[in-house]
Amino acid sequence: MQHNLTVYNTLTRTKEKFEPIHPNLVGMYVCGPTVYSDVHLGNCRTFVSFDLIYRYLLHLGYKVRYVRNITDAGHLEGDNDEGEDKFAKKAKIEQLEPMEIVQKYTLGFHDVLRLFNTLPPSIEPTATGHISEQIEMVKQIMENGYAYEVNGTVYFDVDKYIQEHNYTILTNRKLEDLLNNTRELGGQDEKRGRLDFALWIKAKPEHIMRWPAPWSVGFPGWHIECSAMSRKYLGDQFDIHGGGMDLAATHHTNEIAQSEACNHVQPAKYWMHTNMLTVNGARMSKSAGNGFLPGELFTGNHLLLKRGYSPMAVRFFMLQAHYRSTLDFSNEALDAADKGYKRLMAAIGLLDKIIPASQNKIDVDIKTLRGRCYAAMDDDFNSPVLIAELFELVRLINSVYDGNQQIDATTLKMVKELIQHFVFDVMGLKEEQGGTDSEQTETLMDIIIDIRNEAKKNKDFTTSDRIRHELSAIGIQLKDSKDGTLWNKI
Ligand code: AMP
Ligand code: ZN
């Protein structure tokens, strides 16, 4: 296969030519969601970014084994192997079994990703389904001398590891800085070193999710799950390991240490990290409480939202930024993305109405344009540049449709192929159900909203309420704001 794909590798901090370990078979592991609550739009950004990467690799002809786990065990509230288990806590609040929590939010996660038209991974393993693999790995790490047990809990010995390995290889942080960010150990601490982290944790009596292991009845640490599952399905060494940038400093740093200590090799050849979705510059996160749920975004039912946006407009919004740049949420940016998505789809809708001419008189060289689309994606999956190239096509299609240029049948076929490959296969966009809103619909809605405003002005609330209810019954929601009345489909 002849490709010039380059990917930015967090490990080397450079863009590298992509050369999989086994030609034509790519192993990719992406850290999946922690399913004790709904995924927010920030989480979705990471999964949509890896969907773009997965789709492009498939488009290039690679066979890809894409593994994305479900974290359903071993997530404590504190960063330091302390605090209550997040699943058990949520189970108490919602009066459910922890595994009911897992099921509920896993199903919700799948529903949301389906709306965003992401492809399912090849394997979606759960942490609770791979306890024995995690125990095996902990045993091996202990045998190799990189872990120790205290009172039924097993810790990874970072001091020992540091003697022969570069512990902060992924982030290049200074060890002194790391140490300054962790608290001094006290008399009651079991750990030997401040940076040590738990591989296996002895369950306290109130801890519900627990399994027998040689050291205690307990549960695995968070990091070991990904090391054990990636090893099981992709081998000791595989091609791509990904996740959000927030995971690099601790979760992925510890994964590398565990896997090296167990298998004596660096687990992934390319480490890829997506940047954060932010709200007013702050990272969207579950704990900060600034997370939009995708459902709120689609209906517009959120204080910060002017109106609702369709899943494809939101997907387009995400792809308009490169996966390694931050993406700041705003109504204006979403409005612009919505317009862009609709312009693209409207032009695609015209393609079947164009009657080919006997000769070609167009001002774009399609072969060159196709080359530029591949060049954009080959440059570390640069979707914003790809979109800019595709808008050259939109301009061309509109111009041909308006009769200003002529296109022959062969060239028209090439244009259609380009759209199929890049808009649908690679970017994963699709025509929304019911099609995009035509100008006629927009004008009709303006008329209806004007009539309703008149009625309200005349205190004829029967009519204004009737309009709202009848629209709602056919799936159109009105929202009154200081900028006037806005509408969206629900
Ligand atoms: P979690 O469920 O919190 O473990 O997160 C699942 C994935 O979403 C991880 O890969 C995180 O790095 C990623 N993630 C969390 N917050 C954001 C955000 N604001 N923007 C982009 N990705 C995020
Ligand atoms: Zn992980």
Side-chain angles (χ1 to χ4, degrees):
M1 227 179 302
Q2 266 304 312
H3 297 301
N4 297 314
L5 177 61
T6 56
V7 300
Y8 182 85
N9 191 351
T10 316
L11 202 59
T12 54
R13 283 161 276 281
T14 50
K15 265 190 217 169
E16 294 174 17
K17 185 168 167 35
F18 182 67
E19 281 168 334
I21 299 167
H22 308 286
N24 303 344
L25 175 64
V26 176
M28 174 160 100
Y29 187 92
V30 172
C31 290
T34 313
V35 287
Y36 69 94
S37 65
D38 286 309
V39 280
H40 56 64
L41 199 65
N43 303 133
C44 294
R45 182 191 184 198
T46 285
F47 300 123
V48 167
S49 298
F50 280 103
D51 186 56
L52 174 80
I53 291 167
Y54 180 40
R55 282 170 175 276
Y56 190 55
L57 291 172
L58 291 177
H59 176 72
L60 292 183
Y62 289 112
K63 185 169 161 21
V64 185
R65 183 175 298 158
Y66 173 19
V67 183
R68 188 184 64 208
N69 70 296
I70 294 282
T71 297
D72 60 353
H75 237 268
L76 301 184
E77 282 198 299
D79 286 337
N80 227 357
D81 304 321
E82 299 154 338
E84 210 177 330
D85 177 271
K86 287 178 178 171
F87 295 93
K89 188 175 176 189
K90 200 60 186 290
K92 254 189 247 159
I93 296 170
E94 297 197 17
Q95 295 188 320
L96 294 170
E97 272 290 313
M99 284 315 275
E100 280 183 290
I101 293 289
V102 166
Q103 176 75 349
K104 175 176 166 184
Y105 292 111
T106 302
L107 292 178
F109 167 65
H110 288 158
D111 286 347
V112 165
L113 286 199
R114 208 172 300 117
L115 283 174
F116 282 124
N117 202 29
T118 63
L119 299 174
S122 332
I123 305 176
E124 195 170 42
T126 61
T128 52
H130 295 78
I131 299 293
S132 60
E133 285 82 354
Q134 296 174 71
I135 291 173
E136 274 314 303
M137 199 158 181
V138 176
K139 272 191 203 161
Q140 183 90 53
I141 295 171
M142 286 181 93
E143 270 170 39
N144 293 352
Y146 290 97
Y148 57 91
E149 185 212 326
V150 185
N151 298 329
T153 292
V154 181
Y155 292 98
F156 188 86
D157 189 344
V158 176
D159 282 339
K160 165 84 195 284
Y161 182 78
I162 284 171
Q163 287 165 22
E164 297 130 28
H165 303 86
N166 179 359
Y167 176 59
T168 54
I169 190 165
L170 194 58
T171 53
N172 216 12
R173 284 171 314 163
K174 291 202 182 86
L175 274 174
E176 303 94 84
D177 294 344
L178 277 191
L179 284 167
N180 288 340
N181 281 331
T182 49
R183 62 169 178 78
E184 293 279 354
L185 291 181
Q188 72 280 45
D189 275 300
E190 294 172 340
K191 288 182 197 182
R192 289 186 201 151
R194 271 152 81 176
L195 298 177
D196 294 358
F197 55 90
L199 299 174
W200 184 263
I201 303 162
K202 181 180 172 179
K204 296 210 174 91
E206 68 276 14
H207 200 98
I208 310 172
M209 293 169 98
R210 47 170 68 214
W211 294 266
W215 317 284
S216 62
V217 174
F219 56 97
W222 170 34
H223 317 302
I224 196 76
E225 73 172 88
C226 288
S227 294
M229 291 191 279
S230 59
R231 177 167 86 146
K232 172 158 176 147
Y233 296 110
L234 300 172
D236 290 353
Q237 241 189 344
F238 52 94
D239 300 295
I240 298 174
H241 192 314
M245 260 179 201
D246 56 319
L247 299 184
T250 307
H251 183 52
H252 291 164
T253 292
N254 290 345
E255 265 192 58
I256 292 177
Q258 291 165 164
S259 295
E260 279 260 9
C262 182
N263 312 319
H264 309 293
V265 282
Q266 159 72 248
K269 189 170 176 188
Y270 306 95
W271 281 84
M272 299 183 70
H273 290 98
T274 54
N275 212 327
M276 297 290 106
L277 181 78
T278 56
V279 186
N280 296 324
R283 181 190 146 198
M284 185 179 279
S285 81
K286 285 175 188 162
S287 48
N290 61 354
F292 290 100
L293 301 185
E296 292 168 335
L297 195 65
F298 303 150
T299 57
N301 282 332
H302 192 285
L303 274 179
L304 285 177
L305 287 169
K306 257 186 4 191
R307 65 180 179 100
Y309 300 90
S310 73
M312 284 302 106
V314 179
R315 185 172 173 114
F316 190 83
F317 162 70
M318 292 175 180
L319 297 178
Q320 273 185 321
H322 186 248
Y323 76 89
R324 282 193 293 114
S325 311
T326 52
L327 172 63
D328 199 48
F329 166 88
S330 75
N331 283 286
E332 292 67 33
L334 274 163
D335 280 338
D338 187 43
K339 271 208 184 95
Y341 165 70
K342 283 178 177 158
R343 266 190 67 207
L344 179 60
M345 285 300 147
I348 293 171
L350 296 178
L351 273 175
D352 284 335
K353 297 185 186 144
I354 290 175
I355 300 159
S358 53
Q359 47 175 320
N360 222 21
K361 280 193 190 150
I362 54 172
D363 61 6
V364 180
D365 181 58
I366 301 298
K367 275 193 188 143
T368 314
L369 184 66
R370 183 174 56 201
R372 295 208 306 261
C373 289
Y374 277 105
M377 286 304 289
D378 281 345
D379 182 16
D380 193 27
F381 310 94
N382 201 326
S383 53
V385 172
L386 172 66
I387 290 175
E389 301 294 359
L390 290 172
F391 270 88
E392 268 289 286
L393 271 190
V394 168
R395 195 187 52 75
L396 173 74
I397 295 168
N398 288 332
S399 167
V400 171
Y401 183 75
D402 290 342
N404 300 327
Q405 301 187 48
Q406 291 168 4
I407 195 163
D408 65 21
T410 319
T411 317
L412 184 61
K413 195 165 160 252
M414 281 167 64
V415 170
K416 286 183 182 175
E417 257 172 28
L418 212 55
I419 295 285
Q420 179 61 46
H421 288 164
F422 284 98
V423 176
F424 298 119
D425 299 347
V426 172
M427 290 213 292
L429 293 172
K430 63 174 186 184
E431 190 79 59
E432 307 241 64
Q433 239 188 357
T436 51
D437 302 316
S438 65
E439 267 179 44
Q440 206 175 31
T441 313
E442 301 272 359
T443 316
L444 269 174
M445 283 307 299
D446 286 347
I447 296 170
I448 295 171
I449 287 168
D450 273 353
I451 296 173
R452 180 168 169 269
N453 286 343
E454 283 277 327
K456 275 191 357 189
K457 221 163 83 189
N458 298 332
K459 302 214 175 337
D460 175 5
F461 296 115
T462 317
T463 304
S464 69
D465 285 348
R466 182 177 157 205
I467 291 175
R468 176 197 284 281
H469 289 142
E470 293 199 2
L471 285 176
S472 162
I474 59 162
I476 292 177
Q477 188 182 50
L478 295 181
K479 190 168 178 182
D480 296 314
S481 76
K482 61 177 174 23
D483 305 323
T485 305
L486 302 156
W487 68 275
N488 62 275
K489 290 186 183 161
I490 41 178

